[in-house]
């Protein structure tokens, strides 16, 4: 069983930056994608950024964060990072780390198809 532990959330003013970290408890080459999802209060969970961990490190971003957020990984530490710049109040949400073993099926930015989830870390951006 893989456990994911997020850290790095907090409160920041608009225009500021935060970096989220997600550490997997064990290394397993069965995990092919790791990424970040967010859920604002009363809204659906949406894909923010995902990275393919199976080799080529391809990355995928939600339209609302392209050009502002960057996902990266440190294989030696089994950790994925989300660097968030130029934060906006609408980025306020609970951010969840997720990992997926399947390659085919649901779009990688869809929450469906992810096998493992972290507990979440709150990000609040004030205007």
């Amino acid at each position: 069983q893989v456990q994911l532990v997020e850290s790095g959330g907090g409160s920041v003013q608009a225009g500021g930056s935060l970096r989220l970290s997600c550490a997997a408890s064990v290394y397993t080459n069965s995990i092919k994608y790791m990424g970040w999802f967010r859920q604002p209060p009363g809204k659906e969970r949406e894909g923010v950024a995902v990275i393919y961990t199976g080799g080529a490190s391809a990355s995928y971003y939600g339209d609302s964060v392209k050009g502002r957020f960057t996902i990266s990984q440190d294989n030696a530490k089994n950790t994925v990072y989300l660097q968030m710049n130029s934060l906006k109040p609408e980025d306020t949400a609970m951010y969840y780390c997720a990992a997926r073993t399947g390659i085919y099926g649901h779009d990688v930015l869809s929450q469906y198809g992810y096998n493992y989830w972290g507990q979440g870390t709150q990000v609040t951006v004030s205007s």
Side-chain angles (χ1 to χ4, degrees):
Q1 186 76 1
V2 177
Q3 291 183 322
L4 304 175
V5 179
E6 304 106 330
S7 61
S11 298
V12 65
Q13 289 193 323
S17 298
L18 284 173
R19 189 175 83 151
L20 305 183
S21 299
C22 172
S25 59
V26 295
Y27 168 78
T28 169
N29 59 11
S30 66
I31 291 177
K32 302 303 180 186
Y33 294 95
M34 287 185 70
W36 294 93
F37 294 76
R38 68 185 182 187
Q39 187 166 19
K43 296 187 177 180
E44 298 251 331
R45 190 171 297 186
E46 65 171 347
V48 175
V50 171
I51 190 165
Y52 177 65
T53 59
S57 294
S59 55
Y60 309 84
Y61 295 93
D63 289 340
S64 61
V65 306
K66 284 179 182 176
R68 300 188 298 124
F69 291 12
T70 303
I71 190 169
S72 60
Q73 62 177 332
D74 184 335
N75 289 333
K77 297 181 179 179
N78 299 334
T79 300
V80 171
Y81 304 97
L82 183 68
Q83 178 66 44
M84 305 186 293
N85 298 329
S86 303
L87 283 161
K88 305 175 181 180
E90 50 264 44
D91 293 318
T92 295
M94 183 69 78
Y95 283 69
Y96 297 91
C97 178
R100 163 174 164 170
T101 56
I103 296 177
Y104 304 107
H106 295 285
D107 184 88
V108 294
L109 286 172
S110 168
Q111 60 174 314
Y112 304 106
Y114 281 80
N115 312 73
Y116 306 103
W117 291 88
Q119 293 298 307
T121 185
Q122 178 68 36
V123 171
T124 302
V125 185
S126 58
S127 57

